[in-house]
Amino acid sequence: MQRAMAERGPLCVGIDPHPGLLDAWGLPRTAQGLETFSLRVVEAAAGRAAALKPQVALFEALGSAGIAVLERVLAESTAAGVLSIADAKRGDIGSTMAAYATAWLSDDSPLAADAVTLSPYLGFESLRPALDLARATGRGTFVLALTSNPEGASVQHVGGEDSVAAGILSAVAHENRAPGARGPAASSSAQASGQGPARHTDDRDQIVTSAGTGGLGSCGVVIGATVGEAMGRLGIDLRELNGPVLAPGYGAQGADAAAVASVFSQVRGTVLANSSRDVLAHGPDVRALGEAVTRSAEELAEHLQRV
């Protein structure tokens, strides 16, 4: 992921086929419409964005036909050389969590993505099956920590400077410091065996980030790009995180690249900013979509990768 961000800019493009967007693109609200929409985004992002993030719920809404489309989208993302983050927000306990981990992170699963989003609000350790499997297969996880939706504050902000969000961030930092948490061994193994999405394991994986680390751990966090005020009020410090930050909220949700750089000034080089509506509004033309991806990626690189 660090190599993809360095080469193409720190942009993740959301694949969010909302019914209204399907209408705007002149596509039917069917599995075929969903597939046409999604594969055009994959084509537009190939070679231009570091990652794609399909919103799993919008595929699940069409049942098995929608899930079949999602399987193809993930496979096509891998074929196009674009990292995939399944925005599934899974979180459960015991064998159920293990099953979720297998679905999204196992080498032999048709839904295997490069990373998956997780909800830790049954306790961070409830995520253990996914954390361990991601590390073993050379994939990643993004744990919800500090989200921008107003309802999130009623849980995440509780405790002030000892907030729930701060506890999640501390747990992620500890996870990335644990023995075996970093380094290319698992990725090299997966790549050598020909299993799973292609892994980048050359020496550029050891890019030194603005957090001062030599390679990020496999456990990242989701922090909204519009929560700067809350981060300050809660005394959130990201410098020990040693993992990537997935930052929704760039673009149509109100945060421009300068704002993203300001909110994440402690760890700018580890931030992958997500844009969905701001890019997707340029469809259905693939060329126009690609141009929008390039503009956003370049703008983010200018602000987040500034030395």
Side-chain angles (χ1 to χ4, degrees):
M1 192 191 79
Q2 286 179 272
R3 185 174 84 164
M5 289 167 63
E7 291 179 349
R8 302 174 206 154
L11 174 67
C12 175
V13 178
I15 303 181
D16 293 4
H18 291 282
L21 269 174
L22 292 175
D23 294 345
W25 283 30
L27 297 172
R29 298 184 181 187
T30 63
Q32 183 58 59
L34 201 70
E35 182 169 313
T36 299
F37 179 100
S38 301
L39 294 184
R40 285 182 186 176
V41 179
V42 173
E43 182 181 353
R48 298 183 176 95
L52 288 163
K53 182 173 70 65
Q55 174 49 257
V56 169
L58 296 172
F59 295 84
E60 289 178 332
L62 290 182
S64 59
I67 294 297
V69 172
L70 179 57
E71 290 178 4
R72 183 174 179 196
V73 169
L74 293 170
E76 292 295 331
S77 296
T78 298
V82 187
L83 295 172
S84 59
I85 302 170
D87 196 357
K89 299 182 178 71
R90 295 297 190 250
D92 215 306
I93 59 173
S95 60
T96 308
M97 191 63 226
Y100 281 140
T102 298
W104 299 105
L105 299 167
S106 175
D107 285 337
D108 57 3
S109 170
L111 285 170
D114 289 293
V116 64
T117 59
L118 301 174
S119 176
Y121 295 106
L122 287 175
F124 183 81
E125 277 302 310
S126 69
L127 305 178
R128 179 55 51 196
L131 301 174
D132 289 347
L133 187 56
R135 187 181 300 171
T137 59
R139 295 181 166 85
T141 56
F142 285 96
V143 178
L144 300 178
L146 195 60
T147 58
S148 57
N149 62 304
E151 303 86 353
S154 67
V155 174
Q156 298 161 19
H157 296 197
V158 171
E161 291 196 358
D162 294 317
S163 65
V164 173
I168 296 299
L169 291 166
S170 178
V172 170
H174 183 269
E175 183 72 16
N176 287 330
R177 288 195 301 268
R182 294 194 290 127
S187 297
S188 298
S189 175
Q191 188 176 15
S193 66
Q195 297 176 332
R199 307 285 174 236
H200 304 304
T201 56
D202 63 21
D203 57 5
R204 281 175 291 184
D205 280 341
Q206 298 305 312
I207 294 169
V208 176
T209 70
S210 62
T213 64
L216 299 177
S218 63
C219 188
V221 294
V222 179
I223 300 178
T226 57
V227 299
E229 182 275 332
M231 286 181 62
R233 178 164 43 79
L234 298 174
I236 298 293
D237 188 338
L238 301 176
R239 286 173 293 184
E240 298 300 317
L241 188 64
N242 196 34
V245 177
L246 178 62
Y250 165 67
Q253 294 183 50
D256 61 14
V260 176
S262 176
V263 169
F264 298 107
S265 59
Q266 298 169 329
V267 289
R268 283 187 329 211
T270 71
V271 176
L272 182 65
N274 182 80
S275 179
S276 297
R277 284 176 289 169
D278 213 44
V279 169
L280 301 178
H282 294 272
D285 182 70
V286 172
R287 180 175 178 179
L289 283 167
E291 290 171 350
V293 171
T294 297
R295 284 193 299 272
S296 294
E298 289 177 347
E299 180 186 44
L300 287 165
E302 179 185 351
H303 287 82
L304 291 173
Q305 298 176 336
R306 206 180 273 161
V307 177

